Amino acid sequence: MRILLALLLAVTALTGIAAPALTQDGFELPTVGRHFEFPKDHGSHPTFKIEWWYLTGHLEARGGRQFGFQATFFRRAFRETDNGPLNHIHLAHMALTDLRGDRFFHQERLARDGWDAEATVGDLSVRNGPWTLRRESSAGRDTFIVEGGIKADVSFAFTLSPKKPLVVFGENGVSRKGSDPTAASHYLTFTRMGVTGDLHLPEGTLDVTGEAWMDHEFSSSQLSEGMVGWDWAGIHLDDGREVMVYRLRFKDGTQDPASRLTWVDKSGELTTRPFSWRVERTWKSAATGVEYPAVVAIDTVDPQTGTGITLRLTPKREDQELIGNRGGVTYWEGACAVESTPKSLTGKAYMELTGYAGQLRM
């Protein structure tokens, strides 16, 4: 055993590469200073337990008709026995908010890895039933294609083109999600993407354009012990900047110090600032009886001016609740309008509120 250990140490010293840290059940943990390679890191990371690709956006059709959309692909690794082979469960959510029609459509799919669902290693290509997300490249420019639908009511095919470089949230490539050393992720994001495509509704087909936000996270333990969920928002400001904020909640309503607010300037540079999250009004679901924050005020500092500012997020439709009958996760995710105090900034956001219907479990 000592000889084996000595050999391992010698190989590490010669190559300069340390073995990745692992969870107790053998899954890889995020490592400080990880070198990301693209397009490889757009694809799946099966050595990590949890992974998701998350698209949210705001669309407009000719005549000013407005929509919000969400398309999410989850992968979770597991072993049925302690020493058994690695398996993967794939969960996917699609949602569309029709603001003029005052309608909210959503659907989820759950499948094992195999003929009906997969996540490719080496490049972005994920699938759950007929829903797909993939990367394409032409003339040195990447685009991302998402195709999906919601029951017999909605179908769409959107092309997303990055307007800004990809950013890596966190410190030295690691986004902390609590005091537990394992509670962290690699968090890769295109904060602003142009969207074009076709949206098919019961009453006809619309050509739509807009802007989207695309998150890709992979980890093996997202939350510290005692956390019940998180509040998250991706904000597109009309001045060309973005704000990403997440608040990690304990059962008593307090906030973990690992909670973060990050500004993204017009060139894609990141600035973290302290913040507070205040709920100004709540909304109670008639379908589940769950009460969620509705109007939220985020107090922070604008790095461009160095002065305090409040960003107020107001849902464009209160009922944007996704009920998890298959995956077991019920949460609120929806399109919001953004205004500021002082009245210098406006914009749009997507806000996600989890853990209000019970502690998160997949």
Side-chain angles (χ1 to χ4, degrees), residues 268-306:
E269 293 298 316
L270 306 183
T271 304
T272 299
R273 288 290 183 264
F275 76 99
S276 65
W277 177 287
R278 296 184 289 112
V279 178
E280 295 190 338
R281 182 165 57 80
T282 62
W283 170 80
K284 187 173 183 178
S285 167
T288 63
V290 177
E291 187 169 312
Y292 298 94
V295 179
V296 170
I298 302 168
D299 301 315
T300 186
V301 175
D302 184 341
Q304 190 165 279
T305 64

Side-chain angles (χ1 to χ4, degrees), residues 150-218:
I150 302 165
K151 301 177 182 177
D153 301 311
V154 176
S155 64
F156 55 79
F158 300 149
T159 298
L160 296 91
S161 304
K163 291 186 172 184
K164 286 186 173 182
L166 181 142
V167 300
V168 180
F169 287 119
E171 297 179 7
N172 297 317
V174 175
S175 176
R176 299 297 316 166
K177 298 301 194 298
S179 58
D180 188 321
T182 67
S185 72
H186 290 306
Y187 189 172
L188 315 177
T189 299
F190 287 107
T191 60
R192 195 177 295 251
M193 309 177 84
V195 184
T196 59
D198 298 324
L199 174 61
H200 305 277
L201 298 169
E203 61 270 26
T205 298
L206 300 172
D207 294 329
V208 294
T209 60
E211 290 187 325
W213 180 293
M214 179 175 167
D215 277 343
H216 177 199
E217 284 196 74
F218 47 102

Side-chain angles (χ1 to χ4, degrees), residues 2 21 38 42-43 51-52 74 88 128 150 174 197 210 240 252 257 265 282 286 289 295 297 299 335 350 360:
R2 290 180 181 177
F38 299 102
H42 290 315
E51 187 163 22
W52 60 60
F74 300 92
H88 301 274
N128 197 317
I150 302 165
V174 175
D252 62 3
D265 73 11
T282 62
V295 179
D299 301 315
Y350 247 79
L360 288 180

Side-chain angles (χ1 to χ4, degrees), residues 175-184 222-224 227 248 256 258-259:
S175 176
R176 299 297 316 166
K177 298 301 194 298
S179 58
D180 188 321
T182 67
Q222 268 289 84
L223 299 177
S224 286
M227 287 183 190
L248 304 163
D256 189 276
S259 303

Side-chain angles (χ1 to χ4, degrees), residues 93-159:
H93 291 166
M94 296 278 172
L96 182 83
T97 305
D98 176 7
L99 295 171
R100 179 181 296 178
D102 193 26
R103 298 179 295 182
F104 181 66
F105 304 94
H106 71 91
Q107 186 182 355
E108 59 179 344
R109 291 183 175 274
L110 183 66
R112 277 180 179 256
D113 196 51
W115 70 272
D116 202 34
E118 64 179 347
T120 299
V121 175
D123 202 348
L124 177 56
S125 179
V126 295
R127 175 176 58 86
N128 197 317
W131 301 348
T132 61
L133 173 64
R134 67 185 187 276
R135 184 192 72 92
E136 294 185 352
S137 182
S138 177
R141 292 179 60 87
D142 286 348
T143 57
F144 298 83
I145 314 298
V146 59
E147 296 178 318
I150 302 165
K151 301 177 182 177
D153 301 311
V154 176
S155 64
F156 55 79
F158 300 149
T159 298

Side-chain angles (χ1 to χ4, degrees), residues 42-59:
H42 290 315
S44 185
H45 299 79
T47 56
F48 289 82
K49 183 184 289 187
I50 307 162
E51 187 163 22
W52 60 60
W53 296 261
Y54 220 110
L55 297 171
T56 55
H58 305 265
L59 306 172

